[in-house]
Amino acid sequence: MTPTTQTVSACTPAQAGKGGKGGVFDVTNTDFVAAVFPRLPEGAFAAVCAKSGDPGLGGWSASRADEATANLSGGNNNYVGCASFYPGDDGSFKARKANFAACHFLMLDDIGTKVPLERLAGFELSWLIETSLGNYQAGIILAEPLTDGAVAVRLLNAVIHAGLCDAGATGPLNRWARLPVAINGKPKCADEAGAPFLCRLIEWRPEARYTPQEIVDGLQLEL
């Protein structure tokens, strides 16, 4: 599948890398967020969330990415939201449907385990992060942010219904994707010494951006 911006070829984690180079990319969370969100609706902000220990415990507290990303500790589970949000009337910032501004990327989950890598053959991902041993999370950046919430929900639900992402407990507009500089604090992902898994940015192509129709066609989705 060819993104809007350029012609590229497919690669697997073994061949991962921009320009076909292999290896793990040394990209800070700040640079990552800046590349994924080059444009935001006026008055809106990208959202990040940090959780220590087991991310399955406790709630999800959103922070403005422009204020919090640089201070995220690599020893936490760090996430970025697929959407941007407007602050509330009281100035608070929450990743809620009522505050939705735009959807900026799609997240594909459990690639390599529940979803075989071959399912994405021929589609150039914007990024691929190993979030546990042999298990990956992928991102697909939209060519233009989707400000129509109903359209965004249809597209995100199509990804879920295709089995490319878990339904999850939250709505499709406030889903969280892992950032590259982070741990996976789930106990089952720790090594024999009890150390948490360190996330690894395996593929990084922020210039690979797609229209909704290109995503539907490339991933063979049904709206």
Side-chain angles (χ1 to χ4, degrees):
M1 181 65 201
T2 303
T4 298
T5 53
Q6 64 171 12
T7 300
V8 284
S9 58
C11 65
T12 66
Q15 304 167 310
K18 184 176 178 180
K21 296 180 181 178
V24 178
F25 290 88
D26 184 15
V27 177
T28 67
N29 288 335
T30 298
D31 289 343
F32 184 91
V33 171
V36 174
F37 296 85
R39 296 182 304 279
L40 291 160
E42 185 175 358
F45 302 93
V48 295
C49 176
K51 303 188 73 173
S52 60
D54 185 351
L57 303 177
W60 296 77
S61 179
S63 299
R64 280 175 42 175
D66 62 319
E67 296 178 342
T69 306
N71 298 319
L72 294 176
S73 168
N76 284 332
N77 301 273
N78 295 320
Y79 303 87
V80 62
C82 70
S84 56
F85 299 90
Y86 295 111
D89 293 337
D90 59 356
S92 63
F93 185 75
K94 297 177 180 179
R96 292 179 175 175
K97 180 181 179 180
N99 301 333
F100 170 80
C103 179
H104 296 259
F105 69 84
L106 305 184
M107 180 190 72
L108 311 183
D109 209 2
D110 293 325
I111 308 300
T113 52
K114 295 181 181 179
V115 181
L117 285 163
E118 292 74 17
R119 171 67 174 81
L120 305 177
F123 193 98
E124 195 80 11
L125 299 167
S126 301
W127 75 80
L128 188 70
I129 294 177
E130 188 175 22
T131 59
S132 62
L133 191 61
N135 194 44
Y136 303 86
Q137 228 177 55
I140 302 172
I141 304 175
L142 291 162
E144 294 292 338
L146 277 176
T147 56
D148 188 324
V151 174
V153 166
R154 286 182 64 205
L155 185 58
L156 292 165
N157 280 335
V159 171
I160 293 171
H161 294 158
L164 298 175
C165 187
D166 286 339
T170 60
L173 296 181
N174 52 353
R175 300 188 69 86
W176 296 102
R178 288 187 182 270
L179 284 167
V181 183
I183 65 164
N184 185 337
K186 293 179 180 178
K188 66 179 182 180
C189 298
D191 64 16
E192 293 181 355
F197 184 87
L198 298 178
C199 295
R200 302 193 309 152
L201 183 60
I202 301 296
E203 297 185 20
W204 180 228
R205 304 182 196 84
E207 73 282 357
R209 298 167 182 267
Y210 299 84
T211 66
Q213 191 59 53
E214 287 173 334
I215 295 171
V216 169
D217 293 341
L219 295 181
Q220 302 171 28
L221 305 179
E222 293 185 9
L223 292 177

